[in-house]
């Protein structure tokens, strides 16, 4: 009986170790490694929320980036109806590179992130989060690639007003040859 119980816990430990190593290895990949696996116009979104991978490893995102002198926005969707929208705002937001903005629930125009996925497509139910604190960094932006990172806290749409329910998030977006819509900025001002 004791041997059987110990072997059960050992198997459970091995399973838990393999799951956690899969989660950490997928989010620790280098952007250049991820770019090499993507086709033009595709993005990979690797987010961990409360130490769990939020989107499937098989998710491939597509969408667009819009950039103006007062705002930047990326809006991408995967084949499973997962959706991520990240916005950075402020006059001359692009002057310091890389671009890092603090996220604050009291000032969502400076930086914001909305993250969601379908959990029950038949009944149109999903799971969605809004970034409540932390920072968003635009590490690279050009015709060849866009790389963003975020780190901080998120709250579910329905409970984001209660900090006790917030969960830690860490994430990376790598977008190869993104669809870019730029207005009022030159490539020299925007790309890096």
């Amino acid at each position: 009986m004791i041997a059987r119980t110990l072997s059960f816990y050992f198997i459970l430990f091995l399973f838990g170790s393999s799951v956690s190593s899969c989660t950490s290895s997928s989010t620790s990949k280098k952007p250049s490694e991820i770019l090499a696996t993507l086709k033009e116009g595709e993005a990979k979104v690797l987010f961990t929320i409360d130490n769990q991978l939020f989107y499937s490893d098989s998710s491939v995102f597509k969408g667009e980036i819009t950039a103006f002198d007062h705002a930047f926005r990326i809006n991408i969707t995967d084949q499973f109806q997962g959706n991520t929208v990240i916005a950075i705002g402020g006059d001359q937001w692009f002057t310091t590179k890389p671009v890092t903005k603090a996220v604050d629930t009291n000032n969502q125009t400076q930086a914001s992130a909305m993250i969601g996925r379908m959990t029950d497509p038949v009944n149109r139910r999903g799971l969605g989060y809004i970034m409540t604190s932390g920072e968003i960094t635009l590490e690279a932006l050009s015709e060849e690639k866009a790389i963003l990172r975020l780190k901080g806290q998120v709250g579910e749409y329905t409970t984001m007003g209660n900090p006790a329910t917030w969960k830690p998030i860490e994430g990376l977006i790598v977008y190869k040859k993104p669809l870019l819509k730029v207005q009022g900025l030159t490539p020299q001002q925007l790309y890096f």
Side-chain angles (χ1 to χ4, degrees):
M1 176 81 171
I2 292 174
R4 206 164 79 188
T5 303
L6 286 175
S7 64
F8 170 76
Y9 283 116
F10 180 70
I11 291 169
L12 191 62
F13 170 76
L14 286 177
F15 177 74
S17 297
S18 67
V19 168
S20 66
S21 67
C22 290
T23 300
S24 62
S25 67
S26 62
T27 57
S28 63
K29 287 182 182 175
K30 293 180 182 176
S32 59
E33 294 171 357
I34 297 167
L35 270 173
T37 68
L38 297 172
K39 296 177 185 169
E40 289 185 16
E42 290 182 345
K44 195 72 171 166
V45 179
L46 302 171
F47 288 161
T48 56
I49 296 177
D50 207 15
N51 295 316
Q52 298 293 316
L53 202 57
F54 187 69
Y55 293 117
S56 166
D57 272 336
S58 60
S59 287
V60 177
F61 286 76
K62 294 183 178 189
E64 68 180 27
I65 293 174
T66 53
F68 303 94
D69 61 353
H70 61 280
F72 167 93
R73 181 178 171 186
I74 180 170
N75 184 353
I76 50 179
T77 305
D78 74 1
Q79 72 270 36
F80 308 114
Q81 300 177 27
N83 183 230
T84 293
V85 179
I86 295 178
I88 295 172
D91 289 335
Q92 306 290 308
W93 62 269
F94 53 88
T95 55
T96 304
K97 296 175 177 83
V99 179
T100 299
K101 293 281 189 170
V103 176
D104 181 351
T105 54
N106 297 321
N107 184 3
Q108 291 283 307
T109 59
Q110 178 174 293
S112 65
M114 294 180 289
I115 302 153
R117 69 169 189 223
M118 241 344 129
T119 57
D120 181 359
V122 173
N123 295 306
R124 305 287 303 152
R125 290 201 173 102
L127 177 61
Y129 292 98
I130 294 178
M131 196 165 175
T132 53
S133 67
E135 65 181 26
I136 297 169
T137 301
L138 178 59
E139 288 187 357
L141 180 62
S142 69
E143 291 177 348
E144 297 301 312
K145 65 185 176 188
I147 299 171
L148 292 99
R149 290 190 191 269
L150 50 88
K151 186 171 185 171
Q153 301 279 318
V154 292
E156 286 188 43
Y157 292 144
T158 56
T159 61
M160 68 171 277
N162 181 1
T165 64
W166 294 356
K167 298 175 181 177
I169 185 171
E170 192 165 346
L172 171 67
I173 297 174
V174 179
Y175 194 168
K176 184 174 188 173
K177 294 204 180 234
L179 174 60
L180 290 165
K181 295 183 178 179
V182 180
Q183 187 174 3
L185 293 168
T186 65
Q188 294 79 11
Q189 290 175 303
L190 189 59
Y191 297 158
F192 64 104

